[in-house]
Amino acid sequence: MSASNAESENILKTGTTTLGMKIKDGVILATDQRATMGHLIANSNVQKLFPIADNIGMTIAGGVGDAQLMVRYMKSQIAIYTMQKGTQMCVETAATLMGSVIRNGFYVAPLVGGYDKKGGHIFSVDMAGGVIEDNYSSSGSGSITAYGVLENLYKPDLSKDEGINVAISALNAARRRDVYSGDGMLVMYIGPDGYEWIDNAEIRKRLENLGFKYPN
């Protein structure tokens, strides 16, 4: 994200490209791993994708400090809810809760995705706390490029295998054209049995099969 003044240029940001999509039997969440400080690449191995419950994950875009605090808050609130109610929190409730917290001044624009009794869900949460559900969504400085790939390749009935390849293709396009996105990739599948990290070796193999290079 671009900064509006010299002070904000020094804030450690995730840059970034994050995306999420509904597929036939769940959702796919994916991010790059670059953090920037102004025009400096501050870190090339940043985690921007987190499970916040067995059935829910979130991506982060914006200020790293605010984003990490949001992850810890959401994990604790969902855990308390689960203990009190004896059931999993639904994805829409988690996204609405996050939107309410962001209105208090968090510099983040996350995506929330997961699987519940109604199936898979992807929500975008903006910096004003607005919550919107869609079949697919992307956030961060590379999102425009990622959307071009998603618009071309996305179908509602994508299999898990197809969805992972679409996510990798969208991230690859963004990291090639957006200087604030790049380096590693994180990919997660969430379905009826909970969340599953896609192994880095598997991501590298898929990149090679798709004709892409890893890393930049």
Side-chain angles (χ1 to χ4, degrees), residues 3-22:
S4 59
N5 54 54
E7 182 179 356
S8 61
E9 280 286 339
N10 292 322
I11 297 174
L12 183 64
K13 303 173 187 175
T14 54
T16 194
T17 304
T18 85
L19 60 91
M21 72 184 84
K22 290 171 59 176

Side-chain angles (χ1 to χ4, degrees), residues 4 30 47 51 90 92 97 120 141-142 144 163 178 180 193-194 207 209 216:
S4 59
Q47 184 174 354
C90 72
E92 183 176 9
L97 172 61
S141 54
I144 294 176
D178 174 43
Y180 300 106
D193 297 324
L207 279 163
N209 291 340
N216 285 350

